[in-house]
Amino acid sequence: MKNLCHLATLLVCLQTVLLKVPALAMKVTQPIKIIAERNNVTLKCVYNITGDGKAQVFRVTVYKSNEEKNSEVCAASFNNSMKPFEKRDVLHCIGQPRRNSISIQFIGMNMSHSDWYFCKVEKMFPLPYTQATGNGTWIFIKPDVEALSVPSEKKRCPQVTEAALIILALASLFLLYSIVVTYLHWPVGATVCIFGMKEAVDMKCELIHNSYEPAIATWTGQRWETGPRQGKC
């Protein structure tokens, strides 16, 4: 009978303790996707704790791709003072705690950082410890138009080279045609030139003989006869 009384007392004490200590539960929500046009991206993580209003110290960790230690990109602790923090881990991040939420701004992100990012919030103090992780946010960084302008200009170079090659080929064909035509007409032109030069020389010789050569007197046996001197030019 005494043992039954002790057991009943123990059950009442346990019931009282359980009623005074509410069950803890935490939930973290974050946006499904963020499409950013700039290098700075802000991720907002909202957390709700049920069963305990005495939380004072928290820790937030942002993972890339999955929840693993080597995929942490930003991690920091904060309290109810709501003071901002700044970390330079894998990424440069600035955190701004607020009531039941924390906004993390990533500085200097580019297109290569586009990926899934998971926000984990932990209640560190006072005990009991509890934590929760959000479902993830797809962050997409749009490509930089100015950075892509240089490759686009490089793509135009083959077009310019192709046009230059076409012009060079046409010029080569025209030059080859000129050489062939000149070669085919060379015998006729050379013959005309040679005959023209010979005719000019003969005419010059005749003029020289008729105009400049003095007359020569020849005795025929009966009388003297005069005439031009015989000779070659």
Side-chain angles (χ1 to χ4, degrees):
M1 190 66 179
K2 183 183 292 187
N3 292 334
L4 292 176
C5 290
H6 287 300
L7 181 61
T9 303
L10 179 61
L11 291 176
V12 172
C13 292
L14 288 175
Q15 184 178 2
T16 304
V17 172
L18 292 176
L19 290 176
K20 288 184 178 181
V21 180
L24 294 180
M26 177 183 286
K27 182 179 181 181
V28 176
T29 57
Q30 55 186 111
I32 298 176
K33 63 180 178 180
I34 297 176
I35 300 178
E37 297 181 356
R38 301 180 179 179
N39 294 331
N40 299 336
V41 180
T42 301
L43 174 63
K44 184 177 181 179
C45 304
V46 180
Y47 58 90
N48 292 315
I49 301 177
T50 58
D52 188 1
K54 300 178 181 180
Q56 297 179 4
V57 180
F58 296 89
R59 181 174 177 81
V60 60
T61 306
V62 178
Y63 298 92
K64 180 180 178 180
S65 299
N66 49 46
E67 189 178 347
E68 296 180 359
K69 182 66 177 179
N70 57 359
S71 65
E72 291 184 6
V73 294
C74 182
S77 299
F78 61 95
N79 52 34
N80 292 333
S81 63
M82 306 299 174
K83 292 182 179 180
F85 62 84
E86 183 174 3
K87 295 290 183 179
R88 295 180 181 269
D89 297 330
V90 178
L91 291 176
H92 181 194
C93 59
I94 300 176
Q96 178 58 64
R98 293 182 175 86
R99 184 176 178 82
N100 295 330
S101 70
I102 179 170
S103 297
I104 301 176
Q105 184 182 35
F106 296 101
I107 309 297
M109 297 186 75
N110 53 49
M111 190 176 179
S112 64
H113 294 117
S114 298
D115 208 324
W116 283 95
Y117 290 82
F118 297 86
C119 187
K120 178 181 179 180
V121 179
E122 302 171 85
K123 179 206 167 191
M124 308 299 294
F125 183 81
L127 298 175
Y129 167 86
T130 185
Q131 59 87 22
T133 303
N135 293 328
T137 300
W138 170 253
I139 297 180
F140 177 74
I141 312 297
K142 291 185 177 181
D144 190 353
V145 177
E146 295 181 357
L148 294 179
S149 61
V150 175
S152 63
E153 291 178 358
K154 291 183 179 179
K155 292 180 181 178
R156 297 175 186 172
C157 293
Q159 298 178 359
V160 176
T161 304
E162 184 178 356
L165 290 176
I166 293 175
I167 295 174
L168 182 61
L170 294 176
S172 301
L173 291 176
F174 179 77
L175 179 61
L176 180 62
Y177 173 79
S178 301
I179 294 173
V180 172
V181 172
T182 303
Y183 177 78
L184 293 177
H185 289 76
W186 169 253
V188 177
T191 303
V192 172
C193 181
I194 293 171
F195 279 110
M197 293 176 64
K198 186 177 184 301
E199 184 178 357
V201 171
D202 292 341
M203 290 180 63
K204 183 177 180 182
C205 291
E206 184 178 356
L207 290 174
I208 291 174
H209 292 164
N210 295 333
S211 302
Y212 298 99
E213 292 292 333
I216 301 175
T218 305
W219 174 255
T220 62
Q222 296 179 355
R223 60 180 181 146
W224 290 92
E225 293 183 359
T226 61
R229 185 177 63 178
Q230 301 296 323
K232 294 183 180 180
C233 179

mmCIF file of all heavy atoms in Angstrom, residues 31-58:
data_model
loop_
_atom_site.group_PDB
_atom_site.id
_atom_site.type_symbol
_atom_site.label_atom_id
_atom_site.label_comp_id
_atom_site.label_asym_id
_atom_site.label_seq_id
_atom_site.Cartn_x
_atom_site.Cartn_y
_atom_site.Cartn_z
ATOM 1 N N PRO A 31 12.163 32.537 -48.789
ATOM 2 C CA PRO A 31 11.546 32.609 -50.118
ATOM 3 C C PRO A 31 12.002 31.451 -51.011
ATOM 4 O O PRO A 31 13.085 30.890 -50.832
ATOM 5 C CB PRO A 31 12.020 33.962 -50.658
ATOM 6 C CG PRO A 31 13.248 34.275 -49.872
ATOM 7 C CD PRO A 31 13.030 33.697 -48.511
ATOM 8 N N ILE A 32 11.156 31.112 -51.969
ATOM 9 C CA ILE A 32 11.476 29.995 -52.860
ATOM 10 C C ILE A 32 12.614 30.354 -53.804
ATOM 11 O O ILE A 32 13.529 29.565 -54.032
ATOM 12 C CB ILE A 32 10.221 29.568 -53.650
ATOM 13 C CG1 ILE A 32 9.135 29.079 -52.686
ATOM 14 C CG2 ILE A 32 10.567 28.481 -54.656
ATOM 15 C CD1 ILE A 32 7.831 28.718 -53.366
ATOM 16 N N LYS A 33 12.566 31.569 -54.372
ATOM 17 C CA LYS A 33 13.615 31.965 -55.308
ATOM 18 C C LYS A 33 13.843 33.472 -55.242
ATOM 19 O O LYS A 33 12.957 34.241 -54.868
ATOM 20 C CB LYS A 33 13.267 31.558 -56.741
ATOM 21 C CG LYS A 33 12.028 32.233 -57.288
ATOM 22 C CD LYS A 33 11.754 31.780 -58.719
ATOM 23 C CE LYS A 33 10.474 32.431 -59.258
ATOM 24 N NZ LYS A 33 10.194 32.011 -60.650
ATOM 25 N N ILE A 34 15.051 33.861 -55.615
ATOM 26 C CA ILE A 34 15.432 35.270 -55.705
ATOM 27 C C ILE A 34 16.184 35.448 -57.026
ATOM 28 O O ILE A 34 17.178 34.762 -57.275
ATOM 29 C CB ILE A 34 16.325 35.705 -54.530
ATOM 30 C CG1 ILE A 34 15.571 35.577 -53.200
ATOM 31 C CG2 ILE A 34 16.799 37.135 -54.724
ATOM 32 C CD1 ILE A 34 16.446 35.898 -51.986
ATOM 33 N N ILE A 35 15.684 36.352 -57.862
ATOM 34 C CA ILE A 35 16.357 36.686 -59.124
ATOM 35 C C ILE A 35 16.936 38.086 -58.965
ATOM 36 O O ILE A 35 16.199 39.057 -58.801
ATOM 37 C CB ILE A 35 15.386 36.616 -60.317
ATOM 38 C CG1 ILE A 35 14.818 35.192 -60.444
ATOM 39 C CG2 ILE A 35 16.094 37.026 -61.604
ATOM 40 C CD1 ILE A 35 13.813 35.037 -61.557
ATOM 41 N N ALA A 36 18.242 38.171 -58.974
ATOM 42 C CA ALA A 36 18.922 39.437 -58.694
ATOM 43 C C ALA A 36 19.603 39.960 -59.955
ATOM 44 O O ALA A 36 20.183 39.198 -60.734
ATOM 45 C CB ALA A 36 19.955 39.253 -57.585
ATOM 46 N N GLU A 37 19.509 41.279 -60.153
ATOM 47 C CA GLU A 37 20.174 41.941 -61.266
ATOM 48 C C GLU A 37 21.468 42.609 -60.822
ATOM 49 O O GLU A 37 22.247 43.055 -61.653
ATOM 50 C CB GLU A 37 19.243 42.991 -61.886
ATOM 51 C CG GLU A 37 17.970 42.388 -62.486
ATOM 52 C CD GLU A 37 17.078 43.445 -63.103
ATOM 53 O OE1 GLU A 37 17.430 44.653 -62.980
ATOM 54 O OE2 GLU A 37 16.061 43.084 -63.710
ATOM 55 N N ARG A 38 21.680 42.691 -59.526
ATOM 56 C CA ARG A 38 22.887 43.333 -59.011
ATOM 57 C C ARG A 38 23.764 42.318 -58.295
ATOM 58 O O ARG A 38 23.389 41.154 -58.112
ATOM 59 C CB ARG A 38 22.514 44.493 -58.071
ATOM 60 C CG ARG A 38 21.672 45.576 -58.745
ATOM 61 C CD ARG A 38 21.333 46.683 -57.759
ATOM 62 N NE ARG A 38 20.538 47.740 -58.381
ATOM 63 C CZ ARG A 38 20.089 48.821 -57.739
ATOM 64 N NH1 ARG A 38 20.358 48.982 -56.459
ATOM 65 N NH2 ARG A 38 19.381 49.717 -58.384
ATOM 66 N N ASN A 39 24.916 42.771 -57.846
ATOM 67 C CA ASN A 39 25.858 41.880 -57.174
ATOM 68 C C ASN A 39 25.513 41.645 -55.715
ATOM 69 O O ASN A 39 26.076 40.754 -55.094
ATOM 70 C CB ASN A 39 27.277 42.454 -57.288
ATOM 71 C CG ASN A 39 27.770 42.471 -58.724
ATOM 72 O OD1 ASN A 39 27.370 41.642 -59.525
ATOM 73 N ND2 ASN A 39 28.628 43.417 -59.048
ATOM 74 N N ASN A 40 24.630 42.449 -55.145
ATOM 75 C CA ASN A 40 24.250 42.310 -53.742
ATOM 76 C C ASN A 40 22.870 41.657 -53.658
ATOM 77 O O ASN A 40 21.905 42.130 -54.266
ATOM 78 C CB ASN A 40 24.235 43.673 -53.049
ATOM 79 C CG ASN A 40 25.612 44.332 -53.087
ATOM 80 O OD1 ASN A 40 26.628 43.667 -53.212
ATOM 81 N ND2 ASN A 40 25.634 45.649 -52.966
ATOM 82 N N VAL A 41 22.791 40.576 -52.886
ATOM 83 C CA VAL A 41 21.541 39.812 -52.760
ATOM 84 C C VAL A 41 21.198 39.696 -51.279
ATOM 85 O O VAL A 41 22.067 39.402 -50.455
ATOM 86 C CB VAL A 41 21.688 38.412 -53.380
ATOM 87 C CG1 VAL A 41 20.383 37.630 -53.246
ATOM 88 C CG2 VAL A 41 22.104 38.518 -54.831
ATOM 89 N N THR A 42 19.922 39.932 -50.952
ATOM 90 C CA THR A 42 19.464 39.854 -49.561
ATOM 91 C C THR A 42 18.546 38.647 -49.393
ATOM 92 O O THR A 42 17.550 38.510 -50.110
ATOM 93 C CB THR A 42 18.726 41.131 -49.142
ATOM 94 O OG1 THR A 42 19.602 42.252 -49.280
ATOM 95 C CG2 THR A 42 18.256 41.040 -47.701
ATOM 96 N N LEU A 43 18.903 37.787 -48.453
ATOM 97 C CA LEU A 43 18.112 36.596 -48.122
ATOM 98 C C LEU A 43 17.496 36.794 -46.744
ATOM 99 O O LEU A 43 18.225 37.021 -45.771
ATOM 100 C CB LEU A 43 18.998 35.353 -48.146
ATOM 101 C CG LEU A 43 18.352 34.045 -47.679
ATOM 102 C CD1 LEU A 43 17.201 33.650 -48.583
ATOM 103 C CD2 LEU A 43 19.399 32.931 -47.614
ATOM 104 N N LYS A 44 16.172 36.695 -46.661
ATOM 105 C CA LYS A 44 15.468 36.873 -45.393
ATOM 106 C C LYS A 44 15.007 35.524 -44.863
ATOM 107 O O LYS A 44 14.300 34.778 -45.541
ATOM 108 C CB LYS A 44 14.273 37.805 -45.557
ATOM 109 C CG LYS A 44 13.563 38.113 -44.247
ATOM 110 C CD LYS A 44 12.418 39.096 -44.456
ATOM 111 C CE LYS A 44 11.734 39.427 -43.136
ATOM 112 N NZ LYS A 44 10.621 40.404 -43.302
ATOM 113 N N CYS A 45 15.435 35.216 -43.628
ATOM 114 C CA CYS A 45 15.050 33.966 -42.974
ATOM 115 C C CYS A 45 14.144 34.299 -41.776
ATOM 116 O O CYS A 45 14.554 35.030 -40.869
ATOM 117 C CB CYS A 45 16.284 33.209 -42.488
ATOM 118 S SG CYS A 45 17.494 32.863 -43.787
ATOM 119 N N VAL A 46 12.954 33.752 -41.790
ATOM 120 C CA VAL A 46 11.978 33.987 -40.717
ATOM 121 C C VAL A 46 11.895 32.727 -39.857
ATOM 122 O O VAL A 46 11.764 31.617 -40.375
ATOM 123 C CB VAL A 46 10.586 34.326 -41.304
ATOM 124 C CG1 VAL A 46 9.582 34.555 -40.181
ATOM 125 C CG2 VAL A 46 10.673 35.561 -42.207
ATOM 126 N N TYR A 47 11.982 32.895 -38.539
ATOM 127 C CA TYR A 47 11.915 31.752 -37.630
ATOM 128 C C TYR A 47 10.843 32.007 -36.557
ATOM 129 O O TYR A 47 10.647 33.119 -36.096
ATOM 130 C CB TYR A 47 13.275 31.489 -36.962
ATOM 131 C CG TYR A 47 13.825 32.652 -36.180
ATOM 132 C CD1 TYR A 47 13.541 32.814 -34.820
ATOM 133 C CD2 TYR A 47 14.632 33.605 -36.800
ATOM 134 C CE1 TYR A 47 14.053 33.884 -34.098
ATOM 135 C CE2 TYR A 47 15.148 34.674 -36.083
ATOM 136 C CZ TYR A 47 14.852 34.814 -34.740
ATOM 137 O OH TYR A 47 15.348 35.883 -34.035
ATOM 138 N N ASN A 48 10.149 30.946 -36.211
ATOM 139 C CA ASN A 48 9.119 31.001 -35.169
ATOM 140 C C ASN A 48 9.383 29.892 -34.160
ATOM 141 O O ASN A 48 9.588 28.734 -34.530
ATOM 142 C CB ASN A 48 7.721 30.821 -35.767
ATOM 143 C CG ASN A 48 7.321 32.015 -36.626
ATOM 144 O OD1 ASN A 48 7.513 33.160 -36.232
ATOM 145 N ND2 ASN A 48 6.787 31.733 -37.809
ATOM 146 N N ILE A 49 9.356 30.285 -32.869
ATOM 147 C CA ILE A 49 9.556 29.322 -31.780
ATOM 148 C C ILE A 49 8.272 29.263 -30.957
ATOM 149 O O ILE A 49 7.776 30.299 -30.501
ATOM 150 C CB ILE A 49 10.735 29.723 -30.878
ATOM 151 C CG1 ILE A 49 12.023 29.823 -31.709
ATOM 152 C CG2 ILE A 49 10.921 28.705 -29.757
ATOM 153 C CD1 ILE A 49 13.223 30.286 -30.910
ATOM 154 N N THR A 50 7.766 28.078 -30.775
ATOM 155 C CA THR A 50 6.567 27.888 -29.950
ATOM 156 C C THR A 50 6.948 27.111 -28.689
ATOM 157 O O THR A 50 7.784 26.208 -28.728
ATOM 158 C CB THR A 50 5.494 27.104 -30.731
ATOM 159 O OG1 THR A 50 6.031 25.848 -31.126
ATOM 160 C CG2 THR A 50 5.048 27.881 -31.957
ATOM 161 N N GLY A 51 6.340 27.528 -27.585
ATOM 162 C CA GLY A 51 6.558 26.814 -26.327
ATOM 163 C C GLY A 51 7.574 27.476 -25.422
ATOM 164 O O GLY A 51 7.774 27.029 -24.304
ATOM 165 N N ASP A 52 8.262 28.536 -25.890
ATOM 166 C CA ASP A 52 9.246 29.179 -25.025
ATOM 167 C C ASP A 52 9.470 30.600 -25.538
ATOM 168 O O ASP A 52 9.794 30.811 -26.692
ATOM 169 C CB ASP A 52 10.568 28.409 -25.042
ATOM 170 C CG ASP A 52 11.541 28.952 -24.003
ATOM 171 O OD1 ASP A 52 11.155 29.893 -23.284
ATOM 172 O OD2 ASP A 52 12.658 28.425 -23.934
ATOM 173 N N GLY A 53 9.284 31.587 -24.664
ATOM 174 C CA GLY A 53 9.495 32.963 -25.046
ATOM 175 C C GLY A 53 10.732 33.559 -24.438
ATOM 176 O O GLY A 53 10.869 34.778 -24.365
ATOM 177 N N LYS A 54 11.661 32.768 -23.968
ATOM 178 C CA LYS A 54 12.832 33.252 -23.251
ATOM 179 C C LYS A 54 14.125 33.152 -24.083
ATOM 180 O O LYS A 54 15.204 33.256 -23.531
ATOM 181 C CB LYS A 54 13.015 32.459 -21.958
ATOM 182 C CG LYS A 54 11.842 32.566 -20.996
ATOM 183 C CD LYS A 54 12.077 31.720 -19.764
ATOM 184 C CE LYS A 54 10.880 31.808 -18.815
ATOM 185 N NZ LYS A 54 11.105 30.962 -17.597
ATOM 186 N N ALA A 55 14.017 32.895 -25.371
ATOM 187 C CA ALA A 55 15.218 32.750 -26.187
ATOM 188 C C ALA A 55 16.009 34.044 -26.200
ATOM 189 O O ALA A 55 15.469 35.132 -26.375
ATOM 190 C CB ALA A 55 14.834 32.344 -27.609
ATOM 191 N N GLN A 56 17.312 33.939 -26.005
ATOM 192 C CA GLN A 56 18.178 35.118 -25.937
ATOM 193 C C GLN A 56 19.341 35.078 -26.932
ATOM 194 O O GLN A 56 19.749 36.115 -27.437
ATOM 195 C CB GLN A 56 18.734 35.262 -24.514
ATOM 196 C CG GLN A 56 17.668 35.499 -23.463
ATOM 197 C CD GLN A 56 18.268 35.617 -22.064
ATOM 198 O OE1 GLN A 56 19.477 35.590 -21.893
ATOM 199 N NE2 GLN A 56 17.407 35.729 -21.062
ATOM 200 N N VAL A 57 19.888 33.916 -27.175
ATOM 201 C CA VAL A 57 21.039 33.796 -28.069
ATOM 202 C C VAL A 57 20.686 32.828 -29.201
ATOM 203 O O VAL A 57 20.202 31.723 -28.956
ATOM 204 C CB VAL A 57 22.288 33.292 -27.314
ATOM 205 C CG1 VAL A 57 23.468 33.166 -28.275
ATOM 206 C CG2 VAL A 57 22.623 34.231 -26.171
ATOM 207 N N PHE A 58 20.960 33.273 -30.417
ATOM 208 C CA PHE A 58 20.686 32.465 -31.609
ATOM 209 C C PHE A 58 21.961 32.329 -32.437
ATOM 210 O O PHE A 58 22.923 33.092 -32.274
ATOM 211 C CB PHE A 58 19.596 33.102 -32.474
ATOM 212 C CG PHE A 58 18.260 33.192 -31.804
ATOM 213 C CD1 PHE A 58 17.929 34.302 -31.037
ATOM 214 C CD2 PHE A 58 17.328 32.175 -31.941
ATOM 215 C CE1 PHE A 58 16.694 34.392 -30.435
ATOM 216 C CE2 PHE A 58 16.089 32.270 -31.335
ATOM 217 C CZ PHE A 58 15.761 33.377 -30.572
#
